[in-house]
Amino acid sequence: WQRFRFGHKYTRIGAKTGNNPGEHFSGDIAEILVYNRVLKNKDLIAVRDYLNNKYQIDVSPPQVITASAIGKPTKILVSFDEVLHKKSAKQIENFVLSDGLDVIDAKLRKDKKTIKLTINSELIEDHLYVLTVNNLSDQFGNVITEPSSVTVDYIAIPAGKLVCWYRADKSVSIDDNNFVLSWNDNSG
């Protein structure tokens, strides 16, 4: 930790007051900006943009990549582009499904980017549903504040012996040149 003097007061960076080693920050501090005035909103935005660009800080909410229901007509897998906050991923009120269907359970999977939803009624094969996601946050606290919708279709593939399933019409991530970067496993 380091102690700095600003005016007539000392400020500690990386430690609470006192010398208890358990109260020290155990991490890295890349940069500290100190101003001699309260920053206006436009200045705060400029500082945020500067730090985001320099350190590639994530300030974007998670984005839905795909939502699919395969084999089990009461289960929907929803994939996101980044690691999700566990508590918000489990909140069923963050998910609204069309056609009067209710989400009754939400579980974050081991990859922490996929949520398995359980719904109150069976989906109908070849019928398109709309899943709307809101108020879900990523691991950095960036929250989806504008509802994000994705279509869900149920495909009755016998999932019992299915090892993996990749779809070319959806579930792919592409780069700026439209080259496939990754295919999402839709196996369930």
Side-chain angles (χ1 to χ4, degrees):
W1 66 273
Q2 184 66 45
R3 188 169 84 160
F4 295 95
R5 185 177 181 114
F6 296 110
H8 66 283
K9 294 186 179 181
Y10 283 99
T11 299
R12 292 175 189 256
I13 297 175
K16 293 181 179 180
T17 57
N19 291 320
N20 183 348
E23 293 183 352
H24 288 81
F25 175 71
S26 61
D28 296 322
I29 298 173
E31 188 166 344
I32 297 171
L33 303 173
V34 179
Y35 293 89
N36 63 357
R37 62 183 173 81
V38 175
L39 296 181
K40 295 179 180 177
N41 195 42
K42 69 176 184 157
D43 298 322
L44 289 171
I45 292 169
V47 168
R48 182 198 65 198
D49 291 346
Y50 161 75
L51 293 171
N52 289 344
N53 289 331
K54 186 170 183 179
Y55 297 107
Q56 303 298 306
I57 298 171
D58 178 10
V59 295
S60 301
Q63 301 293 316
V64 179
I65 297 174
T66 62
S68 57
I70 298 102
K72 297 178 182 176
T74 59
K75 306 290 184 192
I76 299 173
L77 290 180
V78 188
S79 299
F80 293 84
D81 66 341
E82 61 181 309
V83 173
L84 303 170
H85 184 269
K86 187 176 182 179
K87 187 175 180 181
S88 77
K90 291 180 172 184
Q91 295 175 332
I92 60 173
E93 60 271 10
N94 291 343
F95 308 95
V96 177
L97 194 58
S98 65
D99 294 39
L101 299 174
D102 293 320
V103 175
I104 58 173
D105 190 38
K107 292 183 180 169
L108 187 61
R109 297 189 68 172
K110 287 182 182 180
D111 67 358
K112 298 182 182 175
K113 293 182 177 183
T114 307
I115 299 173
K116 186 176 190 177
L117 301 177
T118 303
I119 58 174
N120 66 332
S121 185
E122 291 189 358
L123 299 172
I124 299 168
E125 190 170 11
D126 295 324
H127 179 81
L128 284 182
Y129 298 87
V130 176
L131 175 69
T132 303
V133 180
N134 200 14
N135 299 319
L136 190 70
S137 62
D138 65 14
Q139 64 181 340
F140 300 109
N142 302 310
V143 180
I144 298 174
T145 56
E146 293 293 323
S148 176
S149 295
V150 62
T151 57
V152 180
D153 55 342
Y154 168 62
I155 300 171
I157 291 177
K161 296 187 181 197
L162 184 68
V163 176
C164 63
W165 176 44
Y166 301 100
R167 291 181 64 168
D169 60 334
K170 47 171 93 172
S171 304
V172 294
S173 300
I174 58 172
D175 65 13
D176 294 336
N177 298 315
N178 285 330
F179 290 109
V180 174
L181 296 172
S182 65
W183 294 51
N184 297 314
D185 185 355
N186 289 290
S187 307

